[in-house]
Amino acid sequence: MSQVLPGQPSPSLPGGTALLLGQMLLCSCLWGSSFLLMKLIGAEISPLALTALRGLMGAALLGLWLASRGENVLPQGREWRDWAVLGLLQGAIPNTLTAYALTQITASLTSLIQACTPLIVAMLAHLLFADERLSAKRAIGVLIGFSGMAILLGPAAFASGTPSAMGTLAMAVTALSYALGNLYVRGIPKVQPGRLALGQQVFSGLPTLVLVLGLSGPAAFAAAPGLALPLLALGIFATALPILLYMMILRSAGPVLGSMNGYLVPFWTILMGVTLLGESVGLREIAGGLVVLAGLVIVSLTRKRG
């Protein structure tokens, strides 16, 4: 997923509220489909190889879009460092761990755990930045959200006959990696979402490609031609297009309302997982997911202290 851009003021919502809502629903639906596509492709391609292909496809499409606007697609100045850090924290690590987790647990549970990212951001920002201290109400929201996460990750998640402990923990690390990436964005002096998205994909795909070729050789991509359609769908409709839509949402609605877009993703993933993959959603997932989302809403809609 793309970054929530901390520290930016939220502009007044324009008159096209229906258009904004439509963009948010479409964007979250496309991102929700990525879990199903990765689960389908991951049965034939290793997590590292899938990360490389997804990053390279996303980089190519975003690069073409920026080039068509007359922008230089090569990193400039400190962008080398920013792109490398975000490629690791918001590309290579979370995409690889998510692809692995999807071989162990359901797409529904995977997306629910990833939705905890803003809670980790809020907690770490409170500890690291004086101007990000949690108000009492936001702190309650964080505690509620983490209690929901505890339900998702608690002992019941590791009991016999329930989802894999390693897959569940992989998604917890994924959420932490995304959170660290979001906090890193906060320190970038002049945020350019389009260029950051391009750099994130480039420095996710290229290093992972080199690693895969070094470890396994070209044979790691042997199954790719037979999966051309789902791979193209993952690169276009579940990576590049939702990133571009998310940039439009951030520009029109600001980061606070824009971040709510991510909270819609689990609902789409659950719906598609149940209807298309035949997944089942248990009481624990439903309860934990609702508690997490309740905490997220409280944190997002409550003003920061000061």
Side-chain angles (χ1 to χ4, degrees), residues 119-143:
L119 296 171
I120 302 175
V121 171
M123 181 188 69
L124 292 178
H126 172 80
L127 297 174
L128 297 174
F129 305 113
D131 60 342
E132 293 285 351
R133 301 299 184 193
L134 294 171
S135 65
K137 191 171 182 180
R138 283 169 65 89
I140 291 172
V142 169
L143 291 174

